[in-house]
Each structure stands twice: as structure tokens, then as C-alpha cells.
Amino acid sequence: MATKELDKAFEPAEAEKRLYDYWLKNKYFHAQDKSKAPAFSIVIPPPNVTGMLHMGHALNNTLQDVIIRFKRMQGYNTLWMPGMDHAGIATQNVVEQQLWKEGLSRHDLGREKFIARVWEWKEKYGGVIINQLKRLGCSCDWERERFTMDEGLSQAVREVFVRLYNEDMIYQGDYIVNWCPRCHTAISDLEVEFKQDQSFLWNIRYPFADGSGEIVVATTRPETMLGDTAVAVNPTDPRYKDKVGKFVILPLMNKQIPIIADDYVTMDFGSGAVKITPGSDPNDFAMAERHNLEIISIMDGQGIINDHGGKYNGQDRYEARKNVIADLEKGGYMVGTEPYAHNVGQCYRCKTDIEPMVSKQWFVKIKPLAKQAIAAVTKKKTRIVPASWEATYFD
Ligand SMILES: [Zn+2]
């Protein structure tokens, strides 16, 4: 046999590729469908197909690989199940950013061509991710590789959804969500970034319906007044003690709304009286539920005033703000403004200002599900390592 002189330095690129190919060729990573050996499996937390793997993936996949190889050597029928997550909104966003560089939007392309671009992206980066995992030496069962949008997985999602629905475990209801008017989707609290904005506090006069004077409310978003359904004061505020239960006329909209008392109102903000817009503010939404107030959504999914916004119907939210302020001034309702710094929530993907919006959402009754999951740990069927994380798990 011909011998090759040893390289002066170890060349991992050569050795790793040679060994990895050898492992693959001999199907060492492939789990048996049926086996007498005990089973051990890990489902990979599927990396998002949004880009390339980073150091965090390198660490967590190495840890999984160590465990999987250890179990394999102990004689288990071992499966490390690989796959990728379509990460719908995130993937749409990276493809849109790519389009922007070409001076295009998803609307220019139209639905079909845009979806084709997203699949193109998936093919390209999906391949990169798999190669990265292979270069890390990950001993995944590649013959079983899955994508979260595979027909089989979609079927499983439908199955679980319908089953939960039939068991009365999921239900639909109106809830206020963080809405991105550009991405056209609700986003989680964790996906909202706050940016300090130097703006104003507008003080607006709401006359009492019985003509006995007025109450002044302060707001950072005057345009939302179109959807006000109450004015709230603190129940212990001596200034408004005899005003609770009275009605005021909502300027520009010409309708009567009640004055209510709620502990949530802080007495030292503005005049101590605040406008309540349940359709545009999560705290006001909660207050509306406590007091059974009407909830009006004045904007559509694009952040454009709808027909609940009277004559401002069709105006963009920022345009409506200018016009509402001008009309309040014209009508003598504007008491004054003061500079005010406050935090504005933005979509972390596209930096558009978030619009709190009421929309139909699915909810899961988590208590009965949590009961079983908690029992699994308290009855030692499932072990959390290290045990100090049990408290977080129970939370
Ligand atoms: Zn967005």
C-alpha cells in the first residue's frame, strides 16, 4: 500500500470531510425503524431558514451531538431528527429586504412571484444551513430531514388544531395586539422595540353634556380620540369626585361618553383625567373590559382611519393626527401643548410604529395542559437539568 507523508500540521478540513463522508456512507447516523434496543431521540430545535447559522447554533448543536453520540455508543437506537423552520414572517421580511435593494416591493411582484422568491430563498439558505450542520460534524439522521412546511407536518398541525378545537381547548376572541401596519401582522411583545420620541402632550377640552363646564384630558395621540368611549379619573381624586357618572361630548365626533373612575389612572399625569380609547391602547382595552365600555377600532390594517373615524375616513394615521389637531384648534377645544418625551413601540423587523389594534385571535386554555406538564416534572417522569431551572419551567 502506498504511504503518504504526514502533513507538518493537522489539516482539519481534510480529516473532517473524509471522516464525515465515511460516517454518512456507512449510515452510522441512521436510526432503525424497528429495533430491540431502547430508543433515544432528540428533535433538533429547527433553525430558521432566514439566513446562516451563528455561534449560538454551533454551541447548542454541539451539545446535542455530544449527547446523541454518547447514547449511540451506549447501544441505544438513536435518532437525532434534523429539520428547518420556515419562520414565515421573518423569512418574508428578509426576502422583502432583498427586493428593496432591487427597488421593488412584494406588491410589485404580486403574490405568486413573491412566493416563488421566498421558495428560492429557502432552497438557497436551507442548503447552506444543512452544510453548516454537516461541517460542525452533527450526526443527524439526514434521511429523515424535515421542513416545517412539509405536507406531513402541515397535516399534523391541522390534526392538533382540530382536536384541540373539538376538546374545547382553543377558542376565538377579540384581543388587543401589537399590529405592524407594514408587515400586516400581529407581533409579540418581545418583538416590539421602544424608541424615545420627543413629541407633545396635547391638552383637549371635553365639554360636559349638561353644559356645566368641561374636563381637560391630556394625550400623546390626539387622533385616537375619534375612538374614545370614556374619560377616566382616579376614584380618590378630589377634583373629580362629583364628576364621575356625568357625560361629556366627544369633540369632532359629537357623541356622549361617560366619565368613569378607575385606580389605573394616575392623578399627576396631565390634568388627572385621561381619554379612554379601548381600540387603540392595551391599558384602555383592559379598562373597557372592567367597565364594560364600547370598543371601537378606528383604523384598518394599514393604519388608515376607517368609517368609524367620521370625516377622517381614508386618512393615514399621521395625516389624521394633523387634521384632528387643526380641527380641535379651530373648534376651540385645544387648551395647549407641552413638549413630552415618551416611548414609541416599533416593529423590530421594519421599524414601523406599532399600532395597538383589536383583532380576532385564537386562544389556548393553557391550565389543563400545564397541569400535565407540571405533573410530569413533579412526579419525576421528566427531569430538568440543572434542577434550578425547574422554577422557571413551573412559571
Ligand atoms: Zn413591521
Side-chain angles (χ1 to χ4, degrees):
M1 194 198 271
T3 50
K4 179 172 168 282
E5 207 175 308
L6 272 178
D7 289 324
K8 286 208 165 46
F10 174 58
E11 295 288 345
E14 182 278 323
E16 286 173 3
K17 189 179 178 316
R18 180 166 44 80
L19 284 172
Y20 201 85
D21 290 346
Y22 177 74
W23 292 333
L24 283 183
K25 209 177 100 203
N26 289 286
K27 295 183 179 290
Y28 291 144
F29 305 157
H30 186 58
Q32 301 307 312
D33 289 344
K34 288 206 178 90
S35 166
K36 286 205 174 76
F40 182 83
S41 64
I42 295 179
V43 177
I44 207 166
N48 287 354
V49 73
T50 38
M52 287 183 253
L53 301 190
H54 50 64
M55 291 302 280
H57 292 106
L59 173 64
N60 85 52
N61 285 302
T62 300
L63 296 177
Q64 292 170 73
D65 199 32
V66 167
I67 296 167
I68 281 286
R69 285 172 185 266
F70 179 61
K71 290 289 181 183
R72 196 178 284 125
M73 287 191 285
Q74 283 184 317
Y76 285 79
N77 182 30
T78 306
L79 169 63
W80 186 7
M81 175 80 201
M84 266 174 304
D85 191 337
H86 64 281
I89 305 169
T91 306
Q92 170 173 334
N93 215 273
V94 290
V95 175
E96 284 193 86
Q97 279 169 15
Q98 206 182 37
L99 286 177
W100 286 338
K101 285 184 196 143
E102 300 164 26
L104 294 167
S105 81
R106 66 176 191 269
H107 303 290
D108 296 330
L109 253 64
R111 185 181 175 85
E112 241 140 70
K113 279 190 185 147
F114 182 67
I115 290 177
R117 279 290 289 257
V118 177
W119 278 108
E120 238 173 69
W121 172 279
K122 188 260 167 186
E123 291 314 319
K124 181 173 171 200
Y125 283 95
V128 171
I129 289 169
I130 296 300
N131 280 326
Q132 286 182 301
L133 288 170
K134 288 181 173 171
R135 282 302 311 275
L136 281 171
C138 292
S139 60
C140 303
D141 190 347
W142 296 111
E143 285 164 60
R144 290 190 161 89
E145 184 200 331
R146 298 300 282 269
F147 181 52
T148 46
M149 276 176 76
D150 286 350
E151 188 46 41
L153 298 193
S154 298
Q155 227 170 348
V157 169
R158 276 201 298 279
E159 171 66 33
V160 169
F161 194 90
V162 171
R163 218 185 279 183
L164 287 174
Y165 183 80
N166 287 338
E167 286 171 13
D168 217 16
M169 293 290 288
I170 53 175
Y171 53 95
Q172 244 188 343
D174 285 326
Y175 193 67
I176 192 151
V177 296
N178 306 304
W179 184 262
C180 175
R182 200 214 64 86
C183 295
H184 291 178
T185 180
I187 64 176
S188 80
D189 290 348
L190 293 172
E191 294 170 317
V192 178
E193 275 175 0
F194 289 93
K195 192 195 90 188
Q196 207 181 61
D197 186 29
Q198 280 299 331
S199 179
F200 295 95
L201 201 56
W202 283 271
N203 292 296
I204 311 167
R205 205 192 305 276
Y206 286 16
F208 289 120
D210 62 9
S212 66
E214 65 196 22
I215 199 163
V216 173
V217 299
T219 179
T220 56
R221 297 198 59 195
E223 71 282 8
T224 63
M225 67 159 295
L226 304 171
D228 283 1
T229 54
V231 166
V233 296
N234 189 289
T236 61
D237 194 331
R239 292 170 293 182
Y240 300 115
K241 229 170 72 191
D242 55 343
K243 305 287 192 282
V244 175
K246 289 182 91 155
F247 281 81
V248 292
I249 308 259
L250 181 61
L252 311 183
M253 297 304 281
N254 254 320
K255 65 178 223 184
Q256 295 197 9
I257 56 173
I259 298 175
I260 61 166
D262 194 286
D263 291 329
Y264 173 76
V265 181
T266 43
M267 287 190 259
D268 50 9
F269 175 77
S271 62
V274 289
K275 60 194 262 329
I276 302 301
T277 321
S280 301
D281 182 284
N283 294 316
D284 293 5
F285 182 83
M287 208 183 286
E289 298 214 304
R290 287 199 289 277
H291 296 269
N292 220 351
L293 299 173
E294 197 187 350
I295 297 166
I296 303 174
S297 291
I298 57 158
M299 276 178 227
D300 68 10
Q302 268 89 241
I304 300 202
I305 307 291
N306 62 24
D307 55 4
H308 291 129
K311 68 170 191 173
Y312 306 93
N313 186 359
Q315 296 181 10
D316 168 82
R317 51 188 173 156
Y318 301 109
E319 186 191 349
R321 175 178 298 183
K322 275 189 221 140
N323 293 329
V324 164
I325 291 169
D327 290 343
L328 287 171
E329 278 167 355
K330 228 185 285 167
Y333 296 110
M334 194 60 90
V335 180
T337 59
E338 46 200 288
Y340 190 74
H342 68 139
N343 286 326
V344 177
Q346 293 186 330
C347 170
Y348 91 108
R349 293 195 185 91
C350 74
K351 314 295 171 202
T352 302
D353 288 352
I354 287 301
E355 191 58 50
M357 213 170 261
V358 178
S359 77
K360 275 227 181 326
Q361 299 289 320
W362 286 100
F363 294 90
V364 183
K365 272 184 209 158
I366 212 69
K367 241 193 178 135
L369 296 173
K371 214 173 133 190
Q372 291 176 36
I374 288 168
V377 173
T378 52
K379 289 184 180 154
K380 307 278 176 217
K381 281 186 198 155
T382 299
R383 207 155 55 92
I384 290 182
V385 184
S388 56
W389 283 94
E390 276 182 13
T392 307
Y393 173 78
F394 290 137
D395 282 346

